[in-house]
Amino acid sequence: YQRRVRGFSPEAMGNACSQGGCLQKIQDMAFPKTPEQIEEERFERVTIPMLMDGDMFSRKPTGMMAMMQSDHPGFMKLSATKDQLCWSSLEQSSGQPAHQNVVALSEVASVKQKSGNVLVLRDEGDEVLLELESKSAEVVTEWVKGLNEGLERLGGKIHLKAAKDAKREQRLEEMKKRQEQRDQMKASLGVNGMKYTAQVMANQ
């Protein structure tokens, strides 16, 4: 006797199991996912690993001194916390990258492809945060698509984390100021107390 799972034959179940991930495949057949769920899983399984694995990008100089500077070959990837882009030069200094840039995703307002193989990140004021060049236009296309999707899907979480971090920094700063005030008060009381003791002893 063989039972069927919501209209799927034992043969179909057997084929799913033979391809690996038996339980997951049966669940997928029994409980079809929505297009949004499928896209979310693809983002987590494909796009995020691609961004976290990173790729080779040369940082292009920007600003008024751009004409006097040269490109720096390097490597960029998404941080393990999924809230920062980290670019590091291949050039080393004392065992560390000679040049580094860390850009919080919460600061990124746009990600665009320029001249085929150039990736440009800009903030809300349209200022260039990073301009990176790849040897492959296809790589830049993948990164533009992946980063824009990341900003869309992770944006709420990123801004929430940034807000929490800002509140935590504010609390720490307030605690530091209160501690400094207490220390100043203690010091002031200590000096006055010593003066009072000295006056009493002098009058005896």
Side-chain angles (χ1 to χ4, degrees):
Y1 174 72
Q2 292 178 310
R3 298 182 62 186
R4 291 174 177 267
V5 178
R6 292 205 176 187
F8 290 95
S9 68
E11 291 78 11
M13 293 170 59
N15 291 335
C17 291
S18 65
Q19 296 174 7
C22 179
L23 179 58
Q24 182 61 51
K25 290 181 182 296
I26 292 175
Q27 290 177 341
D28 290 346
M29 289 189 295
F31 305 100
K33 296 177 181 176
T34 65
E36 176 58 30
Q37 289 174 322
I38 293 173
E39 283 300 306
E40 181 68 26
E41 286 193 359
R42 181 198 56 77
F43 175 70
E44 291 292 338
R45 293 179 180 177
V46 179
T47 304
I48 287 294
M50 182 270 290
L51 296 176
M52 293 181 71
D53 286 345
D55 217 315
M56 300 291 294
F57 287 96
S58 291
R59 188 188 69 182
K60 300 183 71 64
T62 58
M64 298 180 62
M65 303 296 291
M67 298 295 293
M68 302 176 62
Q69 298 175 348
S70 59
D71 296 355
H72 291 287
F75 189 84
M76 184 170 74
K77 66 179 182 178
L78 180 67
S79 66
T81 53
K82 304 178 186 178
D83 62 350
Q84 293 180 328
L85 288 172
C86 307
W87 178 89
S88 301
S89 66
L90 298 183
E91 180 185 353
Q92 299 283 301
S93 177
S94 302
Q96 299 293 327
H99 306 279
Q100 283 186 306
N101 286 91
V102 177
V103 177
L105 289 185
S106 59
E107 298 177 1
V108 180
S110 70
V111 182
K112 295 183 179 179
Q113 190 166 1
K114 172 184 171 183
S115 303
N117 63 336
V118 176
L119 174 69
V120 183
L121 307 179
R122 294 179 180 272
D123 63 15
E124 291 184 355
D126 205 35
E127 294 294 326
V128 176
L129 297 171
L130 269 180
E131 186 168 335
L132 306 167
E133 184 176 14
S134 171
K135 292 183 178 180
S136 169
E138 288 76 13
V139 168
V140 175
T141 300
E142 287 183 358
W143 273 74
V144 169
K145 181 180 178 181
L147 288 176
N148 277 316
E149 188 175 4
L151 291 176
E152 180 182 347
R153 294 186 179 277
L154 302 174
K157 297 177 183 178
I158 291 170
H159 287 291
L160 180 60
K161 181 179 182 299
K164 288 182 178 179
D165 289 344
K167 287 183 179 179
R168 182 169 62 251
E169 289 295 327
Q170 183 179 1
R171 286 197 299 269
L172 290 174
E173 185 64 26
E174 291 174 352
M175 290 173 62
K176 181 179 178 182
K177 288 182 179 180
R178 286 197 294 268
Q179 183 61 47
E180 290 176 351
Q181 291 173 351
R182 285 194 293 267
D183 291 342
Q184 291 175 357
M185 185 175 295
K186 287 181 181 178
S188 176
L189 290 174
V191 170
N192 292 334
M194 290 176 63
K195 287 183 178 179
Y196 176 76
T197 302
Q199 289 175 350
V200 170
M201 294 180 63
N203 292 330
Q204 288 180 347

